[in-house]
Amino acid sequence: MAANYNRPKPIDPISYRQDCYINIRCACGRRVCEPLGQFARARRVPLETRIYELIARLRCSVCRRRVPYADVTRYRGSN
């Protein structure tokens, strides 16, 4: 199987994939989709942080639960 270099990897730092979109969906129905770099800067997350570390820290702003689904894609709303 060939490697897919277009697909963001969880090990990538945020700075490497700033233009990709983070798609977050919570069980309470809240959805967020915005550019990863913009999302990180608005929440003061260092751009050296790995994507998997950011996803592990996410909480829903409505119900305060850990977010059950988050993905980083090259295109808006791909989850």
Side-chain angles (χ1 to χ4, degrees):
M1 185 166 106
N4 183 354
Y5 294 104
N6 291 322
R7 179 90 174 126
K9 313 294 185 286
I11 195 73
D12 290 341
I14 294 170
S15 62
Y16 188 64
R17 299 293 182 169
Q18 289 185 58
D19 296 332
C20 291
Y21 289 90
I22 186 163
N23 301 295
I24 306 167
R25 184 173 56 210
C26 182
C28 73
R30 175 142 170 83
R31 290 176 177 248
V32 174
C33 179
E34 65 180 274
L36 182 58
Q38 177 182 330
F39 182 85
R41 280 189 293 279
R43 288 151 184 87
R44 296 187 178 112
V45 176
L47 296 180
E48 300 82 37
T49 305
R50 306 270 183 209
I51 293 172
Y52 75 90
E53 293 171 337
L54 172 67
I55 291 173
R57 292 173 35 183
L58 293 175
R59 283 192 179 270
C60 179
S61 61
V62 175
C63 67
R64 305 302 300 162
R65 285 186 272 184
R66 291 280 179 196
V67 178
Y69 183 82
D71 191 21
V72 177
T73 60
R74 294 192 69 181
Y75 306 103
R76 185 174 189 85
S78 296
N79 65 355

